[in-house]
Amino acid sequence: MNIENAKSQMRKGMLEYCVLLLLKHRPSYASDIIQQLKKAELLVVEGTLYPLLTRLKNDGLLQYEWQESTQGPPRKYYALSPEGEKFLEGLDGAWTELANTINYLKNITPQLLEVKR
């Protein structure tokens, strides 16, 4: 197995959660989302982000509004819908559980592995 493939799969699994976390703070334009993800060292291209945003919108988790731009045509700004906020709360809980599991397994000692009989 290739480590880059494994890392790519992990990033894909986290991308939806990361986008929702960003939109929790403020409505954003797709390019702004990509820029913020790059700052967080999660590299995403438009060809990946736009289908995800469309799916999240179709699922009722996002809403958008058009805003005029000084640098060209109007831009679509995405924001969490009320359903998206509830969904994100659920993902927060799932992430905490998963992080706790991973941290436990990373820090397990041989003594914890012993089976008491």
Side-chain angles (χ1 to χ4, degrees):
M1 176 169 219
N2 179 324
I3 189 67
E4 290 305 316
N5 288 344
K7 286 169 49 177
S8 175
Q9 291 301 313
M10 291 172 78
R11 284 191 299 268
K12 285 179 186 176
M14 296 176 26
L15 182 57
E16 180 176 306
Y17 183 45
C18 292
V19 168
L20 294 174
L21 284 171
L22 284 174
L23 294 175
K24 175 182 178 179
H25 301 293
R26 69 169 199 217
S28 296
Y29 179 59
S31 293
D32 294 336
I33 295 170
I34 290 171
Q35 188 175 42
Q36 289 302 316
L37 292 171
K38 283 182 183 177
K39 282 184 184 178
E41 299 184 20
L42 182 61
L43 301 178
V44 177
V45 295
E46 288 181 4
T48 300
L49 183 62
Y50 280 108
L52 174 62
L53 291 171
T54 298
R55 184 175 57 76
L56 293 172
K57 191 238 178 250
N58 290 342
D59 289 346
L61 303 178
L62 297 183
Q63 52 199 17
Y64 66 85
E65 69 175 38
W66 291 97
Q67 294 183 11
E68 292 298 323
S69 171
T70 59
Q71 301 170 338
R75 295 179 175 180
K76 190 185 285 187
Y77 280 78
Y78 293 89
L80 289 181
S81 67
E83 294 84 8
E85 291 175 12
K86 290 177 190 170
F87 187 76
L88 180 56
E89 286 177 19
L91 287 181
D92 284 337
W95 179 259
T96 299
E97 290 173 11
L98 182 59
N100 288 340
T101 298
I102 296 298
N103 287 331
Y104 172 81
L105 293 173
K106 283 178 68 174
N107 295 310
I108 202 164
T109 63
Q111 293 81 11
L112 292 175
L113 291 173
E114 292 178 13
V115 177
K116 294 186 180 183
R117 299 175 197 243

